[in-house]
Amino acid sequence: ELKVEQNPLFLSMQEGKNYTIYCNYSTTSDRLYWYRQDPGKSLESLFVLLSNGAVKQEGRLMASLDTKARLSTLHITAAVHDLSATYFCAVANTGNQFYFGTGTSLTVIP
Amino acid sequence: DTAVSQTPKYLVTQMGNDKSIKCEQNLGHDTMYWYKQDSKKFLKIMFSYNNKELIINETVPNRFSPKSPDKAHLNLHINSLELGDSAVYFCASSQDPTLDPSYEQYFGPGTRLTVT
């Protein structure tokens, strides 16, 4: 079974600061996804990364993928309170099974 | 219009009962999924299903069975419910990879199942 590890599990950061969430996975995959989940809500797709070196940005969030290192990062720039949520990465194997990381619970403090 | 819908939103039942959760998608997608999210927010795939193939996560007890009356629906039936089945269950769908190489998934709102 494909293993997906995220760190940190919990992240408390001040508004205006920068931070990075890391996502490592155990076997070859060229499809990596980032999702956001607000408390009691469903998962919202943030980014789809499909190739080595892919970088995508949306607002204060930027995601990148290094398939050789089996690593994706989600970088947060100048955090604001509205970014408080749980962030998941997910990796798909060739059988179209999706495996999710443990999630990173982000709290942005004023 | 809701893309992926689930009913019910909340389900409270007793141990030993049999229950079903319904899922419908109006996106025209070919593949649908069921996930379980436990109390620690860990998400685990249970099933993926398209008109050709059902893939079952081998760790899922056979008390759980997906039933698909047509391409737009994938229901989850659970027999002999146990306390450990309490969780949030999410349905999702994605397009055939020949039409959408990203395989991006769209999630339903979730069903919170509580077994007492």
Side-chain angles (χ1 to χ4, degrees), chain A residues 3-20:
Chain A
K3 302 290 185 187
V4 184
E5 294 182 348
Q6 269 181 256
N7 67 83
L9 297 183
F10 299 95
L11 177 56
S12 180
M13 57 190 297
Q14 286 188 315
E15 279 191 332
K17 298 293 187 181
N18 304 333
Y19 208 84
T20 300

Side-chain angles (χ1 to χ4, degrees), chain A residues 84-102:
Chain A
S84 296
T86 299
Y87 293 85
F88 291 94
C89 65
V91 178
N93 66 10
T94 54
N96 196 27
Q97 296 286 291
F98 288 75
Y99 295 88
F100 279 77
T102 49

Side-chain angles (χ1 to χ4, degrees), chain A:
Chain A
E1 183 174 303
L2 196 156
K3 302 290 185 187
V4 184
E5 294 182 348
Q6 269 181 256
N7 67 83
L9 297 183
F10 299 95
L11 177 56
S12 180
M13 57 190 297
Q14 286 188 315
E15 279 191 332
K17 298 293 187 181
N18 304 333
Y19 208 84
T20 300
I21 300 170
Y22 296 89
C23 175
N24 291 89
Y25 51 98
S26 60
T27 60
T28 302
S29 175
D30 57 2
R31 286 182 287 143
L32 189 133
Y33 307 81
W34 284 98
Y35 292 89
R36 168 181 172 146
Q37 186 179 36
D38 291 298
K41 303 293 185 182
S42 186
L43 282 85
E44 174 191 354
S45 179
L46 295 174
F47 300 108
V48 179
L49 302 170
L50 298 178
S51 61
N52 187 40
V55 177
K56 290 194 174 180
Q57 183 164 4
E58 180 73 33
R60 300 175 187 273
L61 300 177
M62 183 173 72
S64 66
L65 177 61
D66 181 343
T67 58
K68 293 179 181 178
R70 299 177 187 164
L71 170 68
S72 179
T73 61
L74 181 66
H75 187 73
I76 303 157
T77 301
V80 293
H81 180 69
D82 286 351
L83 290 179
S84 296
T86 299
Y87 293 85
F88 291 94
C89 65
V91 178
N93 66 10
T94 54
N96 196 27
Q97 296 286 291
F98 288 75
Y99 295 88
F100 279 77
T102 49
T104 296
S105 179
L106 171 65
T107 303
V108 180
I109 303 167

